[in-house]
Amino acid sequence: VMTTRAVMELAWNPKPWIAPNSTESHDYLDRWSREEFGEKAAPAIAAYYKAYFAAPGRYGTAEDATMADNFYHTAARGLVLAAIEGNDRALARLRRIRFTNPESLAAALSEDCQAADARWKQARLLAEKAKPLVPKDRLDFFQANILTQVDLHLHFNRMVLKLAQMIQASDNNDKLARLREAIGECEKGAAAMHAAEYGKWKGFYSDGDWLLDTPLTLEVMRTYLDKLEGRPVSQNVVIRADDGGFAYHMITAYQGTQTVQF
C-alpha cells in the first residue's frame, strides 16, 4: 500500500518527483512513516524501510533482477524438482540467471543468498527496534505491513540458501539436514503470512496465495525428503509443481465467469 500510494501521487502530480535533484522519494517515505505510525516511531520506521528496500539479493543489473517474492519459490521448486527428476528441465524458468547445471546455479544462489541474509537480519532488527514506538492501535498494521513482509523475505531467502547448500552437499546426511532446514524456513514464512491475517484479512494469504503457492513449495520439499528417506514419491505433487500456469488459470477464472469455485 505504501508504494501504491506513491505511484498514485506521482501520477497525479509528477513535478516534485522528477525535478532535478528531487528529494521527494525521501520526503514521501518520511511522510508515510509519520502518518501511519506516528511522530515518535517515524524515524525508526523510515530507517527500517530504507534497509528493507536495500536488502534483497540480485541476480543481474536489470531493475527487476531482484531475489524477491516469486523468485524464491520458483528457485526453490526448480532446485528440488531438478533433484527429484535428475535433470535441469525444471530450471528453465530461471534462465535469466547464467548457469550451466544445477550445481553452478546452486553455487551462485548460495553466495547471493548468504550475503542477502545479513541484510535481511539487519532489516529485521530495525523493525524490532521500531515496534515499541508504534501506537497500540497501529500494531496490527505494523505486523502486516512490516513484520510479516520482512519475515517473508528473511525466511524464504534462507529457504533458497539451504536448498542451494543441499544441492552442493555430497553427503546424504548433509543433504537431509539442509533440506529439513529449508522446510523449517518455509514453515516460518508461512507462519509470518498467517500473522498478518487479522480482522477482515482472515484468510488473505492462506486462501489466496496462488502466485507464490507456499503450500506447494512445502509439498515439493517434503516429497524430496520422502525420496531421500526411501519412501514413495508423490507424482501428483511433481506434476502440480511442473505446471507454472495454475495461478493464472485461477485468476482468469475469477476475473471472467468465475466458473472455477474457490
Side-chain angles (χ1 to χ4, degrees), residues 59-163:
Y59 55 88
T61 57
E63 178 72 18
D64 61 342
T66 303
M67 293 184 182
D69 43 29
N70 206 49
F71 176 89
Y72 298 131
H73 292 267
T74 301
R77 293 201 287 265
L79 287 171
V80 178
L81 284 173
I84 292 173
E85 298 176 335
N87 59 61
D88 64 357
R89 181 182 58 81
L91 299 175
R93 298 171 201 163
L94 296 169
R95 289 299 180 190
R96 288 180 64 188
I97 308 175
R98 295 180 180 177
F99 66 94
T100 56
N101 52 50
E103 289 72 23
S104 66
L105 173 62
L109 289 175
S110 182
E111 181 179 350
D112 292 339
C113 290
Q114 187 75 62
D117 184 62
R119 297 192 294 271
W120 284 122
K121 284 193 289 188
Q122 178 60 24
R124 187 61 167 78
L125 286 173
L126 289 172
E128 283 294 336
K129 184 178 179 180
K131 186 176 181 179
L133 305 174
V134 175
K136 289 184 178 180
D137 64 347
R138 299 303 290 159
L139 284 174
D140 281 342
F141 185 70
F142 179 82
Q143 172 65 57
N145 195 256
I146 290 182
L147 288 183
T148 283
Q149 307 308 322
V150 72
D151 280 345
L152 294 183
H153 287 283
L154 178 70
H155 294 301
F156 290 152
N157 180 75
R158 285 181 182 169
M159 171 186 70
V160 175
L161 172 61
K162 296 303 179 182
L163 291 175

Side-chain angles (χ1 to χ4, degrees), residues 11-248:
W12 183 257
N13 182 20
K15 290 182 180 180
W17 295 84
I18 64 175
N21 303 315
S22 171
T23 62
E24 185 62 21
S25 60
H26 297 286
D27 296 343
Y28 173 85
L29 180 60
D30 292 340
R31 187 166 66 250
W32 165 274
S33 301
R34 185 172 60 255
E35 291 177 1
E36 295 296 333
F37 298 103
E39 293 283 351
K40 187 177 180 181
I45 295 288
Y48 156 78
Y49 275 126
K50 290 171 184 175
Y52 174 90
F53 286 115
R58 301 189 62 81
Y59 55 88
T61 57
E63 178 72 18
D64 61 342
T66 303
M67 293 184 182
D69 43 29
N70 206 49
F71 176 89
Y72 298 131
H73 292 267
T74 301
R77 293 201 287 265
L79 287 171
V80 178
L81 284 173
I84 292 173
E85 298 176 335
N87 59 61
D88 64 357
R89 181 182 58 81
L91 299 175
R93 298 171 201 163
L94 296 169
R95 289 299 180 190
R96 288 180 64 188
I97 308 175
R98 295 180 180 177
F99 66 94
T100 56
N101 52 50
E103 289 72 23
S104 66
L105 173 62
L109 289 175
S110 182
E111 181 179 350
D112 292 339
C113 290
Q114 187 75 62
D117 184 62
R119 297 192 294 271
W120 284 122
K121 284 193 289 188
Q122 178 60 24
R124 187 61 167 78
L125 286 173
L126 289 172
E128 283 294 336
K129 184 178 179 180
K131 186 176 181 179
L133 305 174
V134 175
K136 289 184 178 180
D137 64 347
R138 299 303 290 159
L139 284 174
D140 281 342
F141 185 70
F142 179 82
Q143 172 65 57
N145 195 256
I146 290 182
L147 288 183
T148 283
Q149 307 308 322
V150 72
D151 280 345
L152 294 183
H153 287 283
L154 178 70
H155 294 301
F156 290 152
N157 180 75
R158 285 181 182 169
M159 171 186 70
V160 175
L161 172 61
K162 296 303 179 182
L163 291 175
Q165 293 172 341
M166 177 197 75
I167 295 294
Q168 294 175 295
S170 55
D171 179 75
N172 195 60
N173 288 331
D174 194 20
K175 282 185 180 293
L176 282 167
R178 300 291 85 75
L179 178 57
R180 290 193 181 104
E181 288 174 341
I183 291 171
E185 294 298 339
C186 193
E187 289 172 339
K188 290 175 183 177
M193 288 183 176
H194 297 320
E197 295 185 313
Y198 63 90
K200 66 180 180 180
W201 302 108
K202 183 179 180 180
F204 181 78
Y205 285 108
S206 53
D207 296 336
D209 176 26
W210 304 327
L211 288 170
L212 301 188
D213 205 341
T214 305
L216 180 58
T217 304
L218 277 168
E219 285 188 79
V220 172
M221 290 191 289
R222 288 167 180 158
T223 295
Y224 187 43
L225 184 63
D226 287 338
K227 182 175 181 176
L228 291 178
E229 294 183 334
R231 293 185 293 274
V233 171
S234 171
Q235 290 302 318
N236 178 51
V237 172
V238 173
I239 291 168
R240 285 168 51 218
D242 270 332
D243 178 11
F246 171 77
Y248 297 98

